[in-house]
Amino acid sequence: MTHDTTAAVLAELAALDDPKLREVNRRHGDDHGVKLSDLRALAKQLKVQPDLARDLWATGDPAARLLSILICRSRGFTAGELDAMLREAGTSKVHDWLVNYVVKVNRHSDELRQAWLADPHPVVESAGWALTVERVAKKPDGLDLDDLLDIIEARMKEAPERLQWAMNHCLAQIGITHPERRARAIAIGERLEVLKDYPTPPNCTSPFAPTWIAEMVRRQGASS
């Protein structure tokens, strides 16, 4: 990959940057001014380019890193590379896209899930919980769901924001997909009241676990 190609892509990203959007994003923990739809359109033009993806990631620019995630070869990273990338992701959007678009489909996904769950840094640990949500929903065999509920019950109330959100998602997912543990999941949510008063736009489901569980179970019943 030539320096000229990387420079040209960075120039295009700079041209797409909107300072007003950047300011809005900064208030939500992100630091880029390029519309996500524009990033996706550019990624569609570039297609998969692993070398360019690595060059863009190395710039440290949040928009370049988001584009990097969209054009990388997800299965081509080692566990060590993904661990390093997560720790330097910086913004919440880069963190989320890296976990959801790259790590989840990588062969080292469960190895990293277990390592990150035990990590002392709450943002890194939150990635372990995000991967656990995926396991709870799709591959629960081998998971101790009762132990997960014990940990959530003991720690979620006082957890830092990003970790708390990930634990809450796991709590809701257990209640949604595992009927035998639904009552306990709802009871934990009701007792802890995490995100109970979170402002939820009309026609959106509240992230408060008991409400979230009830709504998703209702939808499943309506579609069956």
Side-chain angles (χ1 to χ4, degrees), residues 15-177:
L16 292 169
D17 188 86
D18 180 346
K20 292 182 179 179
L21 178 61
R22 180 183 291 274
E23 186 56 37
V24 171
N25 285 335
R26 277 178 177 161
R27 293 199 293 269
H28 293 86
D30 286 307
D31 188 20
H32 68 89
V34 182
K35 292 179 182 177
L36 299 183
S37 57
D38 288 340
L39 282 173
R40 294 184 188 280
L42 182 53
K44 189 174 181 179
Q45 294 174 24
L46 293 169
K47 300 183 171 33
V48 175
Q49 295 195 46
D51 291 338
L52 176 58
R54 289 176 183 274
D55 286 348
L56 291 173
W57 182 273
T59 67
D61 177 76
R65 284 186 163 176
L66 291 172
L67 180 59
S68 167
I69 289 167
L70 294 175
I71 66 170
C72 74
R73 182 167 286 115
S74 304
R75 291 174 172 79
F77 294 103
T78 67
E81 287 174 325
L82 291 174
D83 181 73
M85 291 167 72
L86 183 84
R87 293 175 190 279
E88 65 184 21
T91 70
S92 58
K93 183 66 70 177
V94 173
H95 173 103
D96 291 344
W97 278 25
L98 180 67
V99 172
N100 286 290
Y101 296 165
V102 181
V103 181
K104 281 184 180 179
V105 296
N106 184 276
R107 65 188 183 280
H108 300 293
S109 149
D110 206 61
E111 171 191 343
L112 290 168
R113 180 187 72 83
Q114 295 178 61
W116 289 342
L117 280 176
D119 198 277
H121 195 294
V123 173
V124 176
E125 186 187 352
S126 74
W129 282 96
L131 294 172
T132 301
V133 171
E134 183 85 354
R135 280 285 308 272
V136 166
K138 298 181 179 179
K139 297 179 181 179
D141 290 350
L143 291 181
D144 187 334
L145 298 179
D146 291 317
D147 183 57
L148 291 174
L149 289 173
D150 288 344
I151 295 170
I152 291 168
E153 188 169 20
R155 296 180 54 211
M156 183 173 73
K157 182 77 171 179
E158 305 302 326
E161 183 178 14
R162 199 179 302 182
L163 177 56
Q164 186 181 72
W165 273 88
M167 285 183 163
N168 184 70
H169 191 175
C170 191
L171 175 65
Q173 195 65 57
I174 291 173
I176 292 164
T177 55

